[in-house]
Amino acid sequence: MKFDTLLIHNGHECDKTTGALGVPVFQTSTFVQTDVNAGQEFDYSRSGNPTRKALEDTIALLENGAAGYAFGSGMGAIASVLGIFDTGSHIIVSEDVYGGTYRILNTFYKRWGLEHTACDTSNIDTIKKAIKSNTKAIFLETPSNPLLKITDLNTALNFAREHDLISIVDNTFMTPLLQRPIELGADIVVHSGTKFLGGHSDVLSGLAVARTEKIGKLIYAVQNGFGAIPGPWDVFLVLRGIKTLKTRLETSQKSAAVIAAWLCGHKNVDSVYYPGLDSHPGRDTHFKQAAGAGAVLSFKVKTKEAAAAFFAKISLAAPAVSLGGVETIASYPVRMSHAGVPVDERERLGITDTLIRLSIGLEDAGDLINDFDCALNQS
Ligand SMILES: *Cc1c(COP(=O)(O)O)cnc(C)c1O
């Protein structure tokens, strides 16, 4: 079946017991046991819940993995996946990973003895230099946030396989509609389901998909042990969001391409970062591994004051944290997603106080351009 069909027909489109054309919200903590000596599929909602299972099966199907796991947030998923490694292990991580991932690696996981080396994973030589005798995994994000840097998944995942490393890809920006890392050789895919999968800025969610049952069991042990699980209502919202993923993301992506091209020609814009632009570094690599450029783009204005004026003036786009919703959101990485990254490190990565990130929603592209034009002509 084609991907569009799988979004709607994923095996859970009809409740077998009632015929309900929608996954019931099983708002229960526990399950009556018909025989206390025999195991049964569901016994306690931290360990498993039928509503959650529908989402877990769905994301596993869409990412083409063996098993899926749902969490209360993207960070819940990432923290739980990192929990499968032993003290004394080392992992290689993209230097511009999501700020929250950077933060937990540098605080909690460092304290608990999981070492890491952050490096430019778009360059295979840098990855090769980062490997150590205790390296167990590589954590990639492509396109990265907020500069949409591209890592060649084939090269990096081959390297991981040759060195027996568990490869993890944060696929939040692309979703399985545009990029399926497991099909390219990744062992684990993680998501913030808060973004495009949920899609309506109304729910926090996280997901992890394992290529094999064996890796799945490791993740399940942390999910069940730490309990960073979502409630059934939140799961229901993500399941509902996934049904319209293709329609939403393709519309937003189309507008993002128009807006990126328009920004390139604006006199008050210094540079534009969008994998769909011919000028974008790694564009060809990106289109070898992904079916589209996505709906997130970043750009730099000329001064910090111009950035402040932009945020003060925009009226359609919401100045806010997050992305992937039906509403267009403008973020200020230095104060929001990357506020936790030390200033000199930020500057080195190019995450400056003139950088603005846009997540394009479902408004008319022309209306958004008018809004941005007014805001850019402020100073
Ligand atoms: C938002 C985000 C996360 C974290 O997800 P939460 O749902 O906010 O916990 C992780 N990775 C990426 C790429 C994100 O955009």
Side-chain angles (χ1 to χ4, degrees):
M1 264 188 284
K2 291 278 187 347
F3 195 85
D4 332 21
T5 312
L6 290 181
L7 289 174
I8 312 296
H9 297 276
N10 46 43
H12 289 277
E13 63 271 30
C14 171
D15 178 46
K16 304 288 183 290
T17 54
T18 62
L21 190 59
V23 177
V25 176
F26 287 94
Q27 187 71 51
T28 186
S29 57
T30 191
F31 299 81
V32 174
Q33 306 199 10
T34 42
D35 175 356
V36 293
N37 289 310
Q40 59 184 46
E41 186 178 7
F42 299 108
D43 55 22
Y44 188 58
S45 277
R46 170 159 39 72
S47 309
N49 173 285
T51 313
R52 192 171 95 217
K53 183 166 191 314
L55 175 60
E56 295 178 331
D57 289 350
T58 299
I59 195 65
L61 178 78
L62 298 178
E63 287 286 4
N64 217 348
Y69 302 92
F71 297 86
S73 68
M75 285 317 302
I78 292 166
S80 298
V81 163
L82 292 174
I84 72 175
F85 298 104
D86 293 329
T87 296
S89 305
H90 169 258
I91 79 168
I92 299 169
V93 58
S94 297
E95 64 186 355
D96 44 2
V97 276
Y98 179 72
T101 307
Y102 177 91
R103 187 165 57 221
I104 62 170
L105 280 170
N106 271 294
T107 52
F108 305 108
Y109 279 99
K110 192 181 242 174
R111 198 193 304 156
W112 298 331
L114 179 68
E115 287 178 61
H116 72 276
T117 301
C119 73
D120 176 2
T121 52
S122 69
N123 179 347
I124 184 69
D125 293 330
T126 328
I127 299 181
K128 284 180 181 161
K129 273 193 214 128
I131 196 161
K132 302 206 223 177
S133 59
N134 58 339
T135 304
K136 295 286 187 254
I138 179 161
F139 190 116
L140 306 166
E141 201 175 306
T142 179
S144 73
N145 178 27
L147 291 172
L148 293 307
K149 238 175 161 168
I150 307 301
T151 290
D152 185 334
L153 285 175
N154 246 333
T155 308
L157 296 173
N158 277 340
F159 176 84
R161 211 167 20 243
E162 280 163 19
H163 292 84
D164 242 349
L165 312 180
I166 292 184
S167 49
I168 307 162
V169 179
D170 185 333
N171 202 28
T172 300
F173 273 36
M174 289 285 99
T175 82
L177 173 73
L178 301 178
Q179 179 170 276
R180 291 191 280 282
I182 288 177
E183 291 179 358
L184 301 174
D187 295 309
I188 300 173
V189 165
V190 292
H191 278 284
S192 169
T194 311
K195 315 295 168 53
F196 292 101
L197 294 174
H200 294 73
S201 312
D202 54 8
V203 63
L204 269 276
S205 159
L207 298 156
V209 181
R211 156 203 285 290
T212 63
E213 294 285 351
K214 190 172 159 214
I215 292 174
K217 285 205 172 80
L218 299 175
I219 299 173
Y220 178 72
V222 184
Q223 184 198 38
N224 186 38
F226 282 8
I229 47 129
W233 283 100
D234 285 356
V235 164
F236 167 81
L237 288 171
V238 180
L239 278 166
R240 187 164 72 166
I242 285 175
K243 293 184 193 186
T244 56
L245 173 67
K246 182 177 158 71
T247 318
R248 285 184 289 105
L249 185 47
E250 285 186 352
T251 304
S252 294
Q253 178 173 256
K254 228 178 179 171
S255 300
V258 172
I259 291 163
W262 173 79
L263 283 168
C264 285
H266 199 287
K267 66 179 193 313
N268 293 339
V269 170
D270 233 25
S271 43
V272 183
Y273 305 84
Y274 182 61
L277 293 171
D278 287 341
S279 58
H280 193 74
R283 179 193 189 277
D284 292 346
T285 303
H286 178 75
F287 280 95
K288 264 191 254 158
Q289 60 202 25
V296 178
L297 61 115
S298 295
F299 65 98
K300 280 182 183 165
V301 289
K302 300 210 152 88
T303 61
K304 182 181 169 188
E305 291 68 34
F310 178 88
F311 284 105
K313 184 68 186 175
I314 44 172
S315 63
L316 266 187
V321 168
S322 201
L323 58 103
V326 294
E327 311 83 357
T328 294
I329 287 179
S331 311
Y332 196 36
V334 288
R335 292 277 165 272
M336 298 176 178
S337 55
H338 291 70
V341 180
V343 183
D344 47 348
E345 179 61 9
R346 253 183 0 223
E347 292 285 332
R348 191 183 69 76
L349 295 171
I351 304 168
T352 58
D353 54 15
T354 54
L355 182 73
I356 296 169
R357 189 189 75 196
L358 298 176
S359 167
I360 304 301
L362 297 182
E363 303 90 341
D364 175 72
D367 285 341
L368 287 170
I369 284 176
N370 286 340
D371 191 31
F372 297 147
D373 197 32
C374 277
L376 282 169
N377 292 329
Q378 281 305 291
S379 54

